[in-house]
């Protein structure tokens, strides 16, 4: 087990309890964020304590302000960098679990923060005692219980002065809001918050199980999108289950988490008539036609023109356009021939051929929101695109040649159909 240890009372108590009761292999991990003057003192304290107890310890120092991403708070950046460090360290040391020192008090703080920001059942579930290889052995302990254990055992710890800084919202909740609740409303508020989170997790786990089954039912074949749903089936789901299915789809695709308010808005839009585009986060959007719902990346490089040399008689040209392989076979004109779903005929006058994105307004069986990712072959006034309605097109008679056009998706591992 990898133990995340900051040197504070909670994490030192976690390390002390696991040293006594956990018989597996243990390694400590300490990340010095480099944002406090005393941070090097904390790193030294952890290293010396690990040495006295005979436990391997990995200490890493970073400059957190330099690692912040655009739009990211210092707290968010610290959490992201810290969790990345812990995952990397656990993997390098071949450790099965990562132990965090979150307590019942932390759970109460998290629940109140989620309520303040606006949350649903997902946020009320708070922090689980276990998620994958991440475990929280102290989830049912109060912070003061752990301090009592440390004092009884004669184990020292260091106080992180930033935990007193009311500039951070969590500290204001910890030092002002929760004490007021426990003094004026309910002395056992933190424990009741923990019980509520446990109950919400049970509901969430049930919804997650149902959502997993629903995704298999909703999934449809589509290309080139990240995922595709049957919209009518999705509309028939109860709103909470529809929201859970959206969250699960996002996690499967590795998308940024959609906040509760926007997730609910998207779920409601799915059940309403009409087509729409809905931006997720980053460069992903959810698009809906009458029958299908697609998750796609905006700004696909395939949305570019590609000019081909003039075709010669009896010549076959094969080229790659985005995630497609386009084949063009020319021959002498012999009159109008029928069109197919993914292949057809194009009148050629000897001019250059150009591959351009389909227009969203062109008549085709392909959903409007996916058409920009499909090629359209142009030659003068003539054109061909997948799913073209042949009844609305006249004969290409009078052309010097006609070309048979076909496309197929490239599904090799090295080609990402939605890569920017």
């Amino acid at each position: 087990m990898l133990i995340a240890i900051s040197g504070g009372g909670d994490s030192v108590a976690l390390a002390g309890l696991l040293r006594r009761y956990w018989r597996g292999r243990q390694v400590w991990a300490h990340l010095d964020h480099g944002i406090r003057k005393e941070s090097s003192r904390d790193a030294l304290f952890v290293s010396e304590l690990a040495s006295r107890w005979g436990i391997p310890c990995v200490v890493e120092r970073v400059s957190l302000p330099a690692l912040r991403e655009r739009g990211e708070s210092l707290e968010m950046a610290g959490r992201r960098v810290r969790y990345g460090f812990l995952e990397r360290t656990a993997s390098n040391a071949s450790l099965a679990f990562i132990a965090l020192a979150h307590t019942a008090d932390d759970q109460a703080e998290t629940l109140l923060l989620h309520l303040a920001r606006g949350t649903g059942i997902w946020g009320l579930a708070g922090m689980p005692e276990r998620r994958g290889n991440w475990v929280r052995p102290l989830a049912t302990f109060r912070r003061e219980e752990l301090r009592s254990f440390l004092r009884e055992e004669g184990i020292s710890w260091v106080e992180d002065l930033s935990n007193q800084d009311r500039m951070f919202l969590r500290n204001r909740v910890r030092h002002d809001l929760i004490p007021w609740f426990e003094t004026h409303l309910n002395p056992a508020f933190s424990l009741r918050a923990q019980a509520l989170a446990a109950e919400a997790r049970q509901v969430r786990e049930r919804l997650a199980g149902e959502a997993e089954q629903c995704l298999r039912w909703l999934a449809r074949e589509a290309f080139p999108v990240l995922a595709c749903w049957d919209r009518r089936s999705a509309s028939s789901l109860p709103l909470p289950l529809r929201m859970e299915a959206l969250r699960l789809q996002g996690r499967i695709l590795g998308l940024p988490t959609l906040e509760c308010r926007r997730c609910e808005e998207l779920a409601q839009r799915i059940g309403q008539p009409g087509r729409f585009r809905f931006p997720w986060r980053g460069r992903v959007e959810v698009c809906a036609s009458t029958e299908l719902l697609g998750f796609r990346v905006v700004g696909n490089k395939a949305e570019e023109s590609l000019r081909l040399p003039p075709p010669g008689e009896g010549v076959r040209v094969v080229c790659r356009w985005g995630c497609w392989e386009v084949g063009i076979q020319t021959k002498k004109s012999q009159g109008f021939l029928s069109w197919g779903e993914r292949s057809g005929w194009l009148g050629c006058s000897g001019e250059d051929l150009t591959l351009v994105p389909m227009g969203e307004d062109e008549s085709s069986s392909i959903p409007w929101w996916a058409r920009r990712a499909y090629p359209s072959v142009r030659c003068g006034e003539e054109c061909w695109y997948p799913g073209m309605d042949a009844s609305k097109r006249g004969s290409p008679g009078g052309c010097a040649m006609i070309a048979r056009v076909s496309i197929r998706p490239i599904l090799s591992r090295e080609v990402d159909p939605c890569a920017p």
Side-chain angles (χ1 to χ4, degrees):
M1 183 177 292
L2 183 75
I3 303 170
I5 180 166
S6 66
D10 295 346
S11 64
V12 171
L14 171 64
L17 287 165
L18 289 176
R19 177 175 176 241
R20 175 180 294 183
Y21 296 111
W22 177 259
R23 294 296 172 242
R25 186 164 62 97
Q26 298 179 42
V27 177
W28 290 3
H30 176 87
L31 182 66
D32 181 353
H33 289 122
I35 56 177
R36 294 181 292 112
K37 293 180 180 179
E38 66 275 12
S39 63
S40 57
R41 174 209 66 179
D42 298 350
L44 180 61
F45 169 83
V46 169
S47 297
E48 290 179 347
L49 183 60
S51 179
R52 286 202 307 272
W53 287 3
I55 298 176
C57 182
V58 178
V59 176
E60 184 173 304
R61 180 181 174 83
V62 298
S63 176
L64 187 60
L67 297 175
R68 283 175 65 182
E69 295 179 350
R70 186 175 181 181
E72 199 175 39
S73 69
L74 204 60
E75 289 173 286
M76 293 168 59
R79 190 179 306 112
R80 174 180 56 80
V81 172
R82 178 170 173 255
Y83 278 42
F85 161 68
L86 293 173
E87 286 181 336
R88 186 173 65 254
T89 305
S91 176
N92 292 341
S94 300
L95 297 167
F97 299 101
I98 303 173
L100 304 173
H102 294 128
T103 65
D105 298 272
D106 293 306
Q107 187 73 282
E109 295 162 12
T110 299
L111 190 146
L112 284 174
L113 287 169
H114 287 174
L115 281 173
R117 291 165 181 157
T119 189
I121 194 71
W122 184 270
L124 288 179
M127 301 178 292
E129 292 185 28
R130 177 177 178 181
R131 179 180 292 156
N133 65 328
W134 297 84
V135 294
R136 295 180 171 88
L138 305 181
T140 60
F141 284 77
R142 297 299 305 273
R143 197 169 284 133
E144 189 50 44
E145 287 182 282
L146 299 176
R147 299 302 186 278
S148 297
F149 163 74
L150 292 174
R151 285 190 287 266
E152 290 171 4
E153 297 294 318
I155 302 173
S156 60
W157 68 93
V158 291
E159 292 291 352
D160 184 347
L161 297 181
S162 66
N163 288 334
Q164 305 298 321
D165 189 346
R166 283 172 167 76
M167 177 186 75
F168 299 110
L169 180 58
R170 180 174 287 272
N171 288 343
R172 297 201 294 274
V173 171
R174 175 178 299 175
H175 299 299
D176 299 330
L177 190 56
I178 290 181
W180 189 92
F181 280 174
E182 294 185 332
T183 301
H184 297 89
L185 297 178
N186 185 350
F189 172 78
S190 293
L191 294 178
R192 292 307 310 149
Q194 181 193 13
L196 173 61
E199 185 176 344
R201 270 196 302 278
Q202 291 178 356
V203 176
R204 191 178 78 175
E205 288 169 2
R206 177 178 56 80
L207 276 175
E210 293 178 3
E212 189 173 352
Q213 295 179 352
C214 286
L215 280 192
R216 291 194 288 268
W217 175 58
L218 295 173
R220 295 293 181 270
E221 291 292 331
F223 192 83
V225 289
L226 299 172
C228 187
W229 289 7
D230 182 290
R231 186 181 181 186
R232 289 192 176 96
S233 298
S235 299
S236 69
L237 297 176
L239 185 64
L241 186 53
R242 203 182 306 160
M243 292 174 63
E244 193 64 28
L246 286 169
R247 293 189 183 103
L248 178 57
Q249 185 69 82
R251 291 198 299 276
I252 291 173
L253 298 177
L255 305 182
T257 302
L258 200 63
E259 62 186 38
C260 181
R261 176 185 57 81
R262 299 196 66 244
C263 184
E264 183 176 5
E265 180 184 351
L266 174 56
Q268 289 175 339
R269 290 285 298 277
I270 292 172
Q272 297 167 356
R275 70 185 199 179
F276 66 83
R277 294 181 187 272
F278 187 93
W280 191 276
R281 281 180 59 193
R283 294 176 51 243
V284 173
E285 66 178 8
V286 180
C287 303
S289 59
T290 304
E291 297 180 350
L292 296 176
L293 188 80
F295 297 73
R296 67 182 291 266
V297 174
V298 181
N300 196 311
K301 269 195 173 180
E303 298 179 5
E304 298 176 350
S305 297
L306 176 64
R307 200 167 188 82
L308 302 177
E313 182 180 344
V315 173
R316 175 171 171 75
V317 177
V318 178
C319 62
R320 176 179 289 185
W321 187 86
C323 54
W324 302 103
E325 181 183 273
V326 183
I328 302 172
Q329 175 75 47
T330 61
K331 58 164 61 176
K332 284 289 185 180
S333 176
Q334 296 180 358
F336 178 70
L337 295 172
S338 61
W339 299 69
E341 175 64 16
R342 290 294 182 270
S343 64
W345 297 89
L346 172 72
C348 297
S349 59
E351 303 175 40
D352 289 353
L353 292 173
T354 306
L355 297 179
V356 298
M358 280 182 63
E360 292 181 2
D361 58 343
E362 291 176 324
S363 174
S364 174
S365 59
I366 296 169
W368 64 273
W369 41 263
R371 292 176 190 172
R372 294 290 297 175
Y374 279 75
S376 172
V377 186
R378 308 281 174 172
C379 184
E381 297 299 319
E382 296 286 338
C383 71
W384 173 89
Y385 48 83
M388 190 171 185
D389 186 352
S391 65
K392 297 183 179 180
R393 179 181 174 81
S395 168
C399 299
M401 291 178 288
I402 55 175
R404 181 173 178 80
V405 183
S406 64
I407 65 169
R408 70 176 185 87
I410 302 170
L411 297 175
S412 58
R413 293 173 62 89
E414 66 271 12
V415 177
D416 178 358
C418 294

Coordinates of all heavy atoms in Angstrom, one line a residue, residues 42 65 111 200 235 240 245 330 335 337 382 408:
D42 N 8.3 20.3 6.2 CA 7.4 19.2 6.2 C 8.0 18.0 5.6 O 7.9 16.8 6.0 CB 6.1 19.5 5.5 CG 5.3 20.7 6.2 OD1 5.7 21.0 7.4 OD2 4.3 21.2 5.7
P65 N 2.7 26.6 -8.8 CA 2.2 27.8 -9.6 C 2.6 27.6 -11.0 O 1.8 28.0 -11.9 CB 2.8 29.0 -8.9 CG 3.0 28.6 -7.5 CD 3.4 27.1 -7.6
L111 N -19.3 17.6 1.4 CA -20.8 17.6 1.1 C -21.3 19.0 1.1 O -22.1 19.4 0.2 CB -21.5 16.7 2.2 CG -23.0 16.4 2.0 CD1 -23.3 15.1 2.5 CD2 -23.8 17.5 2.7
A200 N -26.5 8.1 0.0 CA -26.5 8.6 -1.4 C -25.6 7.7 -2.3 O -25.9 7.5 -3.5 CB -26.0 10.1 -1.4
S235 N -34.7 9.3 -24.8 CA -35.8 10.1 -24.3 C -36.7 9.4 -23.4 O -37.4 10.0 -22.6 CB -36.5 10.7 -25.5 OG -35.6 11.5 -26.4
P240 N -33.3 11.2 -14.0 CA -32.1 10.8 -13.3 C -31.3 9.7 -13.9 O -30.0 9.8 -13.9 CB -32.7 10.3 -11.9 CG -34.0 11.0 -11.8 CD -34.5 11.0 -13.2
A245 N -26.5 8.1 -17.2 CA -26.0 7.5 -18.4 C -25.1 8.5 -19.1 O -24.0 8.1 -19.7 CB -27.1 7.1 -19.4
T330 N -12.1 5.7 -62.9 CA -12.7 6.4 -64.0 C -12.9 5.5 -65.2 O -12.1 4.6 -65.4 CB -11.9 7.6 -64.4 OG1 -10.5 7.2 -64.8 CG2 -11.7 8.6 -63.3
G335 N -23.7 6.6 -70.0 CA -25.0 7.0 -69.5 C -25.1 6.9 -68.0 O -24.2 6.6 -67.3
L337 N -25.9 5.8 -64.3 CA -25.9 4.6 -63.5 C -26.4 4.9 -62.1 O -26.3 6.1 -61.6 CB -24.5 4.0 -63.4 CG -23.9 3.5 -64.7 CD1 -22.5 3.1 -64.6 CD2 -24.7 2.3 -65.2
E382 N -20.5 19.0 -60.9 CA -20.9 17.6 -60.5 C -20.4 17.4 -59.0 O -19.4 17.9 -58.6 CB -20.4 16.6 -61.4 CG -20.9 16.6 -62.8 CD -22.3 16.1 -62.9 OE1 -22.7 15.4 -62.0 OE2 -23.0 16.5 -63.8
R408 N -14.4 4.2 -47.4 CA -14.5 3.2 -46.3 C -13.7 3.8 -45.2 O -12.7 4.5 -45.4 CB -14.0 1.9 -46.7 CG -12.5 1.8 -46.9 CD -12.0 0.4 -47.1 NE -10.5 0.3 -47.2 CZ -9.7 0.2 -46.2 NH1 -10.3 0.1 -45.0 NH2 -8.4 0.1 -46.3

